[in-house]
Amino acid sequence: MYELRLDWIEVNIGHHLRSLIARMTAKTFMGNPTCRDPEWLKIAVDFSLNLASYNFTVKIFPNWMHGLVARFIPARHRMSRQYDIAERVVRELTHQHDLAKRARLKGEEVEEEDTLLNWMLDHGSQSEIEPFQMGVRQCALIFASIHTVAATMSNMLYDLCTNREWLEVLREEVEEISKELGPPIQNTNNNAHAWCTRLDKLDSFIVESQRHHPLSLLIPQRLAHQEIKFKDGMTIPAGSQLAFASYEYSMDPLVNGNPQEFDPMRSYRKRMAGLDQWDLHKASMAHPGNLAFGYGNQGCPGRRFAVSEMKIIMACLLYEFEFKFPEGRTRPKSHHLNQFCFTNQSVTLMMKKL
Ligand code: HEM
């Protein structure tokens, strides 16, 4: 029988966040029952690790050897098996979507979830919606959307446990909203959107946590497909990789006053400065002053989804739980490999039901 624990327990928060985010994302992308399918959820968590491991290994070798070396890298074989599973899952869901469309054409009423996959099937070209290709695309979306959100949320929880006074401020915001909207995200009152538009202090906290702990030090990055000539004569040769030193920029005192200080209400204050500033400094806005989600027409297309997902989970956690680091422990250090920053997600936090 399920036992409700009211005392402190030690949890591997990264593990729980990854599982939760994998399920939430699969519900939106693939729908039910795929979001409960253990095989799919395993791909959702493991695919990114395999892809990262493959990429880092293959890059040790010169370009001309990649094709040769690839077949000896175990992560490449694991990815191939995951593509096969993705193809099978997508084929079945495509079949069900076709049946629903045909029934609708006959004037029948059909209940069907509004999933990202169905949208992609309706808007993709013939080759894009072919089950293997679509399976590969779903894996690419997994890569973009699970560990990025889990790492950002782990950082937020570490920041909250380090700066505990903000736990109370954010919980107050959640409690205030709950007086009007009811408890966050109950199945009975589908109020996720209303909650997300109201959590302004949490929004600002996300921005500051990302500023201190970005997923990469160089955002955005681009490849020059052709030679670029500037007015002053500077030329960037075709094939060059370009990257913006976003972390250094965000830590420049001319860009953010007192940049080393963890000041979670920075963007809240900027938003409050005027009506025209209100939307500009939201966590989900790509803005020269906040490059966590990139910039321009290749800026992260999942940023609104990511911010909503993080707000929903954080609102629920703040409403129901207390957090702290285990006795004698502090924020774990992030690791760096090239420009990438890896949050240590294997540490434990103490949690208690409020
Ligand atoms: C906190 C979570 C996330 C962070 C920090 C993040 C960050 C980024 C960044 C920095 C880029 C490169 C943008 C650029 O070069 O200008 C990017 C691209 C991308 N992201 Fe996200 N992302 C997150 C979540 C998501 C989610 C949930 C999805 C899917 C729903 C997603 C889908 C994508 C895709 C498809 C691209 C490639 C866009 C392109 O090349 O045109 N991301 N993301």
Side-chain angles (χ1 to χ4, degrees), residues 29 144-145 148-149 152 215 219-220 222 292-295 298-302 305:
F29 290 7
S145 59
T148 45
V149 177
T152 306
L215 302 185
I219 304 174
R222 299 287 180 266
F293 289 107
Y295 195 63
Q298 277 172 271
C300 176
F305 176 73

Side-chain angles (χ1 to χ4, degrees), residues 160-177:
L160 273 175
C161 291
T162 309
N163 307 277
R164 292 185 58 78
E165 66 280 15
W166 289 101
L167 262 172
E168 281 322 304
V169 177
L170 298 187
R171 184 168 293 129
E172 257 170 40
E173 178 173 64
V174 169
E175 279 167 1
E176 204 49 47
I177 300 171

Side-chain angles (χ1 to χ4, degrees), residues 16-275:
H16 291 294
L17 284 173
R18 279 192 299 277
S19 315
L20 185 60
I21 290 157
R23 265 184 290 150
M24 283 175 79
T25 309
K27 173 83 170 85
T28 313
F29 290 7
M30 312 291 270
N32 204 356
T34 313
C35 66
R36 290 163 192 262
D37 173 0
E39 195 174 32
W40 185 259
L41 294 177
K42 190 163 165 39
I43 293 185
V45 174
D46 290 351
F47 179 80
S48 311
L49 305 177
N50 288 332
L51 182 59
S53 153
Y54 169 72
N55 270 343
F56 281 119
T57 315
V58 87
K59 279 189 181 144
I60 298 171
F61 301 91
N63 282 355
W64 64 268
M65 284 184 76
H66 286 182
L68 197 70
V69 170
R71 68 188 74 171
F72 300 108
I73 302 177
R76 183 74 190 84
H77 295 287
R78 290 197 291 273
M79 280 165 62
S80 293
R81 285 198 292 279
Q82 290 176 326
Y83 285 147
D84 291 341
I85 297 172
E87 178 186 11
R88 175 164 46 76
V89 172
V90 166
R91 190 180 293 283
E92 173 57 26
L93 293 176
T94 306
H95 176 62
Q96 284 171 19
H97 184 51
D98 284 343
L99 290 181
K101 279 199 295 192
R102 262 183 254 159
R104 239 178 260 127
L105 276 178
K106 285 191 213 151
E108 292 170 26
E109 262 199 29
V110 190
E111 262 198 32
E112 197 189 19
E113 270 182 284
D114 236 351
T115 62
L116 178 65
L117 175 66
N118 288 347
W119 182 88
M120 290 170 83
L121 290 171
D122 291 339
H123 293 84
S125 68
Q126 209 47 45
S127 64
E128 284 167 351
I129 67 171
E130 187 278 319
F132 183 77
Q133 288 303 327
M134 185 54 88
V136 171
R137 278 197 158 71
Q138 291 303 325
C139 289
L141 278 172
I142 281 173
F143 178 72
S145 59
I146 310 286
H147 289 262
T148 45
V149 177
T152 306
M153 286 215 64
S154 296
N155 277 325
M156 285 169 67
L157 285 170
Y158 299 157
D159 285 335
L160 273 175
C161 291
T162 309
N163 307 277
R164 292 185 58 78
E165 66 280 15
W166 289 101
L167 262 172
E168 281 322 304
V169 177
L170 298 187
R171 184 168 293 129
E172 257 170 40
E173 178 173 64
V174 169
E175 279 167 1
E176 204 49 47
I177 300 171
S178 72
K179 283 183 197 150
E180 219 179 295
L181 296 180
I185 329 304
Q186 298 283 301
N187 286 334
T188 42
N189 55 351
N190 192 5
N191 55 10
H193 181 68
W195 267 94
C196 288
T197 54
R198 301 277 297 273
L199 289 158
D200 295 318
K201 289 185 179 162
L202 181 56
D203 191 281
S204 185
F205 192 94
I206 295 174
V207 178
E208 184 69 350
S209 185
Q210 285 183 307
R211 189 176 73 86
H212 280 267
H213 304 284
L215 302 185
S216 165
L217 304 175
L218 303 174
I219 304 174
Q221 299 187 28
R222 299 287 180 266
L223 179 68
H225 285 284
Q226 58 199 48
E227 188 182 84
I228 305 171
K229 266 202 172 123
F230 289 92
K231 278 185 193 155
D232 65 357
M234 188 172 88
T235 305
I236 294 172
S240 308
Q241 283 190 331
L242 313 171
F244 186 70
S246 48
Y247 178 73
E248 286 304 315
Y249 180 74
S250 78
M251 286 293 168
D252 182 336
L254 295 176
V255 177
N256 286 301
N258 247 340
Q260 299 300 334
E261 188 191 341
F262 184 76
D263 176 3
M265 291 302 113
R266 269 181 211 274
S267 79
Y268 185 77
R269 287 194 302 273
K270 288 182 193 166
R271 292 180 70 194
M272 295 290 273
L275 269 181

